[in-house]
Amino acid sequence: MKQKLFLLISIISLFFFKESFGQPTTPNQDGRKWWKEAIVYQVYPRSFKDSDGDGIGDLKGIISELDYIKSLGVTAVWLNPIYSSPNDDNGYDVSDYRNIMKDFGTMADFDSLLKGMHERGIKLIMDLVVNHSSDEHEWFKQSRSSRTNPYREYYHWWNAENGKPPYRYSLFDVNHDAWKYDSLTNAYYLHYFSRKQPDLNWENPKVRQEVFNIMKFWADKGIDGFRLDAFQFAAKDTTWPAFPKGFEKDFSKYYAMQGNLHGYLQEMYKEVLSKYNVMSVVEGAGNSFTDAHNLVDSNRHELNMAYAFDGVNIAKPSGYSLLHFKEVFSRWDSAFQNNGWLSVFLANHDQARMVSRFGNDKPPYRALSSEMLTTFIMTMRGTPYYYNGDELGMTNIGFTDIKDYRDVQALNAYQHEKNIGGDLKKFMKREASTSRDNSRTPFQWEDAPNAGFTTGTPWIKVNPNYKTINEEAENNDPNSVLNYFRKVVRLRKDNLVLVYGKYELLDKANPNVYAYTRTGDGEKLLIVLNFTTHNADANIGIDVKNATMLLSNYKNAPLSNKKTITLKPYQAVIYRLPM
Ligand code: GLC
């Protein structure tokens, strides 16, 4: 009897042991998933690598650098749109969802790219741009041709005999007017982005079916995920109520999460996402945590991961406060502790460069602050999305001449400012630090003409600092930003506690240092980051005397005195604490 009891206790304790120590801690209800453990590297195809000398990056160019991408240690690539497009908004205006943009290559190139990635253990996440299409898409050509055309209801039209439609704000339009009059049928069509990006009518079941079929087409090819561009805006209240005056200052409140958006996502899940091993991430996460959870909580069967902007929105041209930064990231973390999953990022193709915006791009601090910010991204809970070029510490170019700009948003905003007699000098100054073109300059491969990006004339100017900031030089330097990036990626992959472990903020009121622990699976890591150009103390309340330093961007460990650590400018350090 005693023996049986002992056996039973042993089996039970073995079970508990396995549960608590055999697996990494998963405080989040949904458990382990490949897309939670992924490290996503964003490739902006137009600016990554040109293989044919036309000055525009292409798929063959990416293929030629797959070994480089693999060498970074990242496990997935998010590719900005590569579909046929007249390029009003660099591919975010799709004219054929089942074809490849001519500038980028062919479907055969795409197939070899996907194959090459999979051979290297890298997954591929594709951009899905279906809040709108291009006005050159066949659907829109049909739609605008007559009021009775079968495709008319694929878009939103307002017949002009009913007067002017209720004002809707457009993000990219020269007049900020989202209704464009079309004399062909005496009607207005809706475009939240540029005039060449008419919004699709998601309320029409035929449109939804078209999109699901497009998704199946790519999923059948074997891609691993979709990033749903601007999708929070896809559903509309088609009774077109008037919005209060000045609503555009807070347009997202009126545009995001409208109508039956969740219903459409559940339909998408049922029809497509549930049938494939693909992940899904939505750009934008509504206006509240409730909105964000409603998009991604697994019991709702919609999407996997939210990509929210509160974090990046902290940085203004005038700078940002670290206290605010800590508060926002901590709040988002705690809201997703038990359910749902987040993306962690500080840059992408719509933002200025990470180091210029959140760090310090002046020569003495550029490398250090890039490394410090990278440490932050790679040690937070949530899936890291890392923008190409940031691993080199690439900086803003800060164009001062409007002729250098290529982005439809910047060009139209300039024209708008001019039309209203605004302060163009002030506008140009702001644009130099905030423009999306800052992150779209060509990837800096080597100290060679055009940074080795192209043998032709690049579609947008190369940052002249490529002579010192480039992949070849950094690859050869063991202490470069690039090689630091590789180390911190390795560390994240080797320590699942950095993916799933509980996050706890320390020394909350410290305006200079961001310190936190990640705990789980019988282990605890401590991350301490100095966000300033001077030495800074962190009063973390933990004695690191017996801790193991796993990584730092300085040769020497920081000085520690009992429960205080003194960090050098932009120093980042990761410790393993004894348990
Ligand atoms: C998203 C994209 C951005 C694009 C816009 C319209 O925000 O990231 O680049 O301009 O949608 O498609």
Side-chain angles (χ1 to χ4, degrees), residues 496-511:
L496 278 181
V497 65
L498 288 175
V499 178
Y500 296 112
K502 185 172 174 333
Y503 159 94
E504 206 171 342
L505 178 65
L506 307 175
D507 200 7
K508 186 175 165 200
N510 191 326

Side-chain angles (χ1 to χ4, degrees), residues 42 44 78 80-81 88-93 127-132 171-172 192-194 197 227-231 233 283-284 307 309 348-351 407-409 436 440:
Q42 185 189 345
Y44 196 65
W78 154 27
N80 289 94
D88 185 56
D89 184 21
N90 290 0
Y92 281 96
D93 46 322
D127 228 307
L128 184 71
V129 192
V130 288
N131 169 71
H132 46 269
L171 282 86
F172 294 172
Y192 277 178
F193 295 92
S194 91
Q197 295 170 295
R227 176 242 184 210
L228 276 70
D229 180 72
F231 200 80
F233 301 147
E283 186 200 23
Y307 189 94
F309 289 103
N348 62 37
H349 65 293
D350 293 330
Q351 315 279 330
D407 178 12
V408 62
Q409 184 178 35
R436 313 196 294 180
R440 298 176 179 185

